Amino acid sequence: MTKINFDFGKPSAGGIVDLSNATVSVIPTERFRNDSRIVVREGFEVALDAKGKATVTVPPTDNTFCYEVTVGLDKDLWKFRRYVTVPDSATAVEFADLVDVDSDTLAPALNTGAALTYLLASSLQDAQAMSAANPGQMVFYPEGQAKTVASQILEDLTGARAVVESQSAAAAQAANAAQASAAGAQAASVQAADAVQAVSEQTAQVSANAAAVQSVADSITESKTVVESHANEALTAIDEAVKQVRDKASDVSGEDRTDTVPTDSTDSASSQEA
């Protein structure tokens, strides 16, 4: 929905005064659709306040209808009518700024009743100044100057085209260089990936060799333990055998000493006499 601000005045001996309490009639020229609702061709009226102002809210127009706005009643000599389109605006629009259209074709009205006027200038500079001072009027200046300006514009466009073509060529060269660099980078990336794969394979092989060496070392350690255990058992057996031999030798020595000792004195004397 769009809000339209009305603001009307009338001439008086003291200047322009407010058009107080006048009537404004608003009616669509055709029925129209508002979302899923069909809106029939029915109008409404609004009364201006003491200052000649009023505000209404209406759906924006589309390409099927416009609004017929009538200001004043039949008894009013100043009564007038406009056919206008209303934009879809979040802010209020002024009725004076709405575009007049043909009620049948909805095309912008070519002539709103104002006579065509124009201004003549002696040079382009004067024309620019006069156009700025009179925005609602056409300004003409000598044809020769127009040709000069057109030639200058054409020359500027030609120079701009040359610059664009030069820049396009430079951009193409830069793009080719960038593409070549990208291809080189891709090749280097593939080589790096191959090198990483080779290092990974070598690392795996080294790990396997280290595992094999560790296995052999564990086996040697186990064999050494078994040998040391057997050696300890053998030494123990040898020590036991030596002890037994010594014990037996000690026993035999004791028996021999008992056999050689004399049993009485007679035997001793007989031995001395002999």
Side-chain angles (χ1 to χ4, degrees), residues 115-227:
L116 176 63
T117 61
Y118 60 91
L119 300 173
L120 291 176
S122 60
S123 66
L124 174 60
Q125 290 76 12
D126 291 342
Q128 291 173 339
M130 294 172 68
S131 178
N134 302 274
Q137 291 183 288
M138 299 182 65
V139 179
F140 294 91
Y141 56 94
E143 180 182 3
Q145 299 238 347
K147 290 182 178 180
T148 302
V149 173
S151 299
Q152 184 62 46
I153 293 174
L154 179 60
E155 183 179 350
D156 293 342
L157 290 175
T158 303
R161 179 180 179 180
V163 172
V164 171
E165 289 178 349
S166 176
Q167 292 178 347
S168 297
Q173 293 179 354
N176 292 334
Q179 185 175 5
S181 299
Q186 184 176 5
S189 177
V190 172
Q191 293 178 355
D194 293 342
V196 169
Q197 181 65 26
V199 171
S200 178
E201 293 176 355
Q202 293 177 358
T203 301
Q205 184 62 41
V206 170
S207 298
N209 294 340
V213 170
Q214 184 63 40
S215 178
V216 172
D218 293 342
S219 178
I220 292 173
T221 301
E222 184 178 356
S223 299
K224 178 181 177 182
T225 302
V226 172
V227 170

Side-chain angles (χ1 to χ4, degrees), residues 2-274:
T2 301
K3 291 183 177 181
I4 303 175
N5 291 331
F6 294 109
D7 188 0
F8 295 99
K10 63 181 180 179
S12 70
I16 297 176
V17 297
D18 300 328
L19 184 62
S20 303
N21 305 318
T23 300
V24 178
S25 173
V26 179
I27 183 172
T29 57
E30 297 289 343
R31 67 176 181 270
F32 60 93
R33 182 168 179 168
N34 182 253
D35 293 332
S36 61
R37 170 174 287 183
I38 294 178
V39 182
V40 299
R41 187 174 182 267
E42 179 69 22
F44 62 89
E45 293 182 349
V46 59
L48 302 178
D49 61 14
K51 294 184 177 295
K53 297 181 179 181
T55 299
V56 298
T57 302
V58 297
T61 56
D62 53 22
N63 58 351
T64 63
F65 76 102
C66 65
Y67 285 105
E68 176 185 317
V69 181
T70 303
V71 184
L73 303 175
D74 291 339
K75 64 181 181 64
D76 298 319
L77 297 177
W78 46 263
K79 174 184 174 182
F80 70 94
R81 180 179 291 110
R82 292 181 65 195
Y83 294 93
V84 295
T85 55
V86 177
D88 187 0
S89 174
T91 59
V93 297
E94 301 299 324
F95 178 68
D97 296 334
L98 296 180
V99 177
D100 289 274
V101 296
D102 184 278
S103 60
D104 295 325
T105 65
L106 303 182
L110 298 178
N111 193 341
T112 60
L116 176 63
T117 61
Y118 60 91
L119 300 173
L120 291 176
S122 60
S123 66
L124 174 60
Q125 290 76 12
D126 291 342
Q128 291 173 339
M130 294 172 68
S131 178
N134 302 274
Q137 291 183 288
M138 299 182 65
V139 179
F140 294 91
Y141 56 94
E143 180 182 3
Q145 299 238 347
K147 290 182 178 180
T148 302
V149 173
S151 299
Q152 184 62 46
I153 293 174
L154 179 60
E155 183 179 350
D156 293 342
L157 290 175
T158 303
R161 179 180 179 180
V163 172
V164 171
E165 289 178 349
S166 176
Q167 292 178 347
S168 297
Q173 293 179 354
N176 292 334
Q179 185 175 5
S181 299
Q186 184 176 5
S189 177
V190 172
Q191 293 178 355
D194 293 342
V196 169
Q197 181 65 26
V199 171
S200 178
E201 293 176 355
Q202 293 177 358
T203 301
Q205 184 62 41
V206 170
S207 298
N209 294 340
V213 170
Q214 184 63 40
S215 178
V216 172
D218 293 342
S219 178
I220 292 173
T221 301
E222 184 178 356
S223 299
K224 178 181 177 182
T225 302
V226 172
V227 170
E228 289 178 350
S229 176
H230 290 172
N232 290 333
E233 292 177 356
L235 289 175
T236 302
I238 292 171
D239 290 342
E240 185 66 26
V242 170
K243 181 179 180 182
Q244 291 177 0
V245 171
R246 286 179 178 175
D247 291 343
K248 289 181 179 182
S250 177
D251 293 341
V252 171
S253 298
E255 292 176 357
D256 290 341
R257 285 195 302 271
T258 303
D259 290 340
T260 59
V261 174
T263 58
D264 53 26
S265 59
T266 302
D267 292 336
S268 176
S270 296
S271 299
Q272 290 176 356
E273 290 178 357

